[in-house]
Amino acid sequence: MKKKYNAAVLGCASIAVRSLIPELFNSPRFNLCAVSSRDPAKARDAAKRYDGVSWGTYEDVIRDRHIDLVYIPLPNSMHHEWTMNALKNGKHVLCEKPLVTEYGQLEEITAFARAQRLLVAENFQFRFHSQHQWVRNALAGQKIGEIRTFRASFGIPPLPVGNIRYHPELGGGSLLDNGAYPLKALQVMLPQYNFMMKAATLCYGASGVDISGGMYLDCPEGIAAELAFGMDNFYQCGYEIWGSTGKITSTRAYTAPPGFRPRIIFETADGVENIDMPADNHFANMLLHIAGCLDSGDFEDEYAQNLRQAAYIKRAFELAAHPA
Ligand SMILES: NC(=O)c1ccc[n+]([C@@H]2O[C@H](COP(=O)([O-])OP(=O)(O)OC[C@H]3O[C@@H](n4cnc5c(N)ncnc54)[C@H](OP(=O)(O)O)[C@@H]3O)[C@@H](O)[C@H]2O)c1
């Protein structure tokens, strides 16, 4: 019987209420102990749906000595402050993407976490959906020959006006929100290549945040990556990997909900196959992965992934502001 870790949640965010609170409650590796909010009534309403879960303020949760791991789904501009608060109180951290809004913040977080032997993981649960392992196996089996181009996009229609993503002071903007996904997908699907970012563009809206954009990367092996994102867009949530003899397209790469069978399109000169993958629960898989990291005490891979992603985002902002 493996150890169960005590977890708590900072803020009754939409993503927490919809997904992470129920998944933590049902996880075989975590005890969901507490949820918190700026508003006590909101925390109580969220907690009372789950037997034995208490509620309080963010500070209550951070100071509770029984909590092993804190999940942070606050607005992006608050991730650095509350991750550091949690680490200083001896907690492991699972923080929503993007982990930080500035690269230097992540250097501070990583140095402190490493010194204290604490995990800091960025919550990209799509990494753990089994559809992507199918694609990696197909690539390894040379099913599309040599890889030539990776194209990925994540775009959503406009959100209600008050949404946190439209507020510069809350770390809003499309690159940090949507753009982070195709960038992460490149690293998850083709981890063996060292991509350099060569160009990035950002289009700003009246709210003062970037509303859409794109990035171009390549690597010494000659593979090009074209990434596109936006939050005033027709919904797109996928990637395609184009090879010398075929192409694989993931049509619901980042947000396939539990129970949903995402379609992969596999094309070669012999024809087109639409393959409906088995349903999977990437949230549950991710929590098993986090528990496995805590069991092993080896957090270096997560630190490295965090830093690599944040370095790319930093480079994209620089290239968009000052094209090379
Ligand atoms: N991994 C994923 O699939 C996924 C999906 C969606 C979002 N996200 C990430 O999760 C985070 C939250 O996104 P969301 O869409 O769930 O946001 P949201 O519903 O607006 O929730 C943010 C929460 O932060 C708390 N908060 C504290 N100070 C705030 C302030 N000044 N303004 C607004 N809220 C404040 C609020 O909780 P209390 O009022 O209860 O304190 C609020 O409910 C973001 O970092 C986002 O990128 C990840």
Side-chain angles (χ1 to χ4, degrees):
M1 186 77 164
K2 288 188 169 163
K3 175 178 172 175
K4 280 184 107 173
Y5 296 95
N6 291 333
V9 178
L10 280 200
C12 295
S14 161
I15 180 67
V17 171
R18 277 186 285 128
S19 302
L20 268 294
I21 289 176
E23 293 295 344
L24 280 164
F25 185 76
N26 291 320
S27 171
R29 297 303 313 278
F30 289 92
N31 297 311
L32 177 63
C33 298
V35 298
S36 62
S37 175
R38 296 169 297 176
D39 174 359
K42 199 168 155 190
R44 189 186 58 232
D45 284 352
K48 73 183 181 194
R49 290 182 231 159
Y50 302 95
D51 279 348
V53 175
S54 67
W55 65 88
T57 64
Y58 299 171
E59 287 78 10
D60 293 335
V61 159
I62 289 287
R63 295 211 184 98
D64 185 338
R65 280 191 284 140
H66 299 105
I67 302 297
D68 301 304
L69 175 130
V70 174
Y71 165 61
I72 303 179
L74 297 173
N76 300 340
S77 61
M78 299 172 72
H79 291 179
H80 169 242
E81 175 192 351
W82 284 98
T83 295
M84 286 304 298
N85 279 346
L87 293 172
K88 284 177 181 169
N89 282 277
K91 314 289 187 244
H92 300 286
V93 172
L94 172 63
C95 182
E96 270 306 339
K97 37 60 60 177
L99 232 167
V100 292
T101 54
E102 288 170 28
Y103 186 78
Q105 298 171 339
L106 188 58
E107 291 180 312
E108 182 192 1
I109 286 172
T110 308
F112 191 86
R114 186 179 276 130
Q116 301 298 317
R117 297 172 189 264
L118 292 167
L119 172 68
V120 177
E122 186 173 29
N123 189 29
F124 280 107
Q125 69 271 355
F126 83 88
R127 296 186 277 166
F128 303 105
H129 198 292
S130 52
Q131 63 171 318
H132 306 302
Q133 190 55 49
W134 187 95
V135 176
R136 282 188 292 260
N137 291 345
L139 297 178
Q142 294 277 306
K143 297 243 189 249
I144 59 166
E146 289 177 18
I147 300 165
R148 302 284 187 237
T149 306
F150 180 90
R151 291 195 181 113
S153 48
F154 189 35
I156 58 171
L159 296 157
V161 174
N163 191 280
I164 57 171
R165 289 158 185 77
Y166 296 126
H167 291 266
E169 72 283 5
L170 294 179
S174 186
L175 173 57
L176 289 173
D177 193 68
N178 321 96
Y181 283 93
L183 199 46
K184 189 72 183 178
L186 176 65
Q187 299 161 71
V188 167
M189 299 313 301
L190 302 178
Q192 66 275 45
Y193 300 102
N194 186 19
F195 282 92
M196 300 285 290
M197 194 176 297
K198 298 292 175 62
T201 182
L202 293 173
C203 299
Y204 285 80
S207 57
V209 300
D210 52 292
I211 297 294
S212 64
M215 294 172 264
Y216 179 85
L217 304 89
D218 64 18
C219 66
E221 291 80 3
I223 302 170
E226 301 164 5
L227 314 179
F229 52 92
M231 50 187 189
D232 187 8
N233 290 41
F234 176 64
Y235 190 79
Q236 289 288 284
C237 179
Y239 59 76
E240 63 178 53
I241 306 174
W242 183 12
S244 53
T245 61
K247 192 171 94 172
I248 294 175
T249 305
S250 161
T251 58
R252 189 75 184 269
Y254 318 119
T255 60
F260 178 83
R261 298 188 65 187
R263 173 164 289 187
I264 297 281
I265 305 168
F266 176 47
E267 296 170 73
T268 65
D270 295 333
V272 179
E273 262 186 87
N274 291 317
I275 308 169
D276 291 323
M277 293 285 138
D280 200 7
N281 183 337
H282 51 191
F283 296 104
N285 296 344
M286 183 208 43
L287 291 177
L288 293 177
H289 168 78
I290 296 294
C293 290
L294 298 181
D295 294 341
S296 72
D298 183 357
F299 310 140
E300 287 301 326
D301 184 52
E302 291 298 313
Y303 298 155
Q305 287 200 41
N306 299 341
L307 286 161
R308 195 157 185 236
Q309 173 78 2
Y312 277 134
I313 298 265
K314 175 175 183 267
R315 179 84 179 129
F317 275 122
E318 287 168 357
L319 284 168
H322 307 288

